[in-house]
Amino acid sequence: MFAIVRTGGKQYRVAAGDKIVVEKIAGDAGSTVSLGDVLFAGSGGETQDVSGLTVSAEIIAQAKGEKVIVFKKRRRHNYRRRNGHRQQHTILRITAIGDHKAENEARAEAPAAVEA
């Protein structure tokens, strides 16, 4: 199953178990967040109703992106300005879409069969 969610002004296609990098979301590493702005959901060729559907994700890390150099210059006026910027972002692991969980997480929650 997959879903298209909107966060930070951008749209992402996610499935359970995926890792994505999004604009900064408040929270510490290891905490769980819920992405409620689901635009589309489906499985194979079928679509699913998205009313009330949420995507659960775990914050892996808070990080910074690559440095972008901002350089301004005006010719023949001895004007030069150099500035840098590093965008803050959050790395997420999608744990579940609605009630569909990631396979490795579903296996961990299922009780192990005891052999006699």
Side-chain angles (χ1 to χ4, degrees), residues 51-103:
S51 60
L53 187 68
T54 59
V55 175
S56 299
E58 175 188 1
I59 296 177
I60 296 174
Q62 302 283 6
K64 287 185 177 182
E66 293 293 317
K67 180 171 260 191
V68 176
I69 302 297
V70 179
F71 186 74
K72 299 178 183 179
K73 180 180 178 181
R74 292 187 185 151
R75 296 186 330 168
R76 298 182 298 274
H77 290 283
N78 195 23
Y79 176 85
R80 292 179 200 89
R81 299 291 181 265
R82 182 179 179 271
N83 198 358
H85 175 74
R86 291 184 72 186
Q87 186 68 31
Q88 304 240 346
H89 60 254
T90 302
I91 303 170
L92 297 176
R93 178 184 297 119
I94 306 300
T95 56
I97 299 175
D99 56 353
H100 292 28
K101 296 186 178 183
E103 290 183 23

Side-chain angles (χ1 to χ4, degrees), residues 10-36:
K10 299 180 181 106
Q11 298 173 8
Y12 302 91
R13 183 187 190 277
V14 297
D18 286 353
K19 291 181 185 176
I20 59 172
V21 178
V22 298
E23 295 289 323
K24 182 158 175 76
I25 296 175
D28 296 326
S31 62
T32 303
V33 294
S34 178
L35 305 173

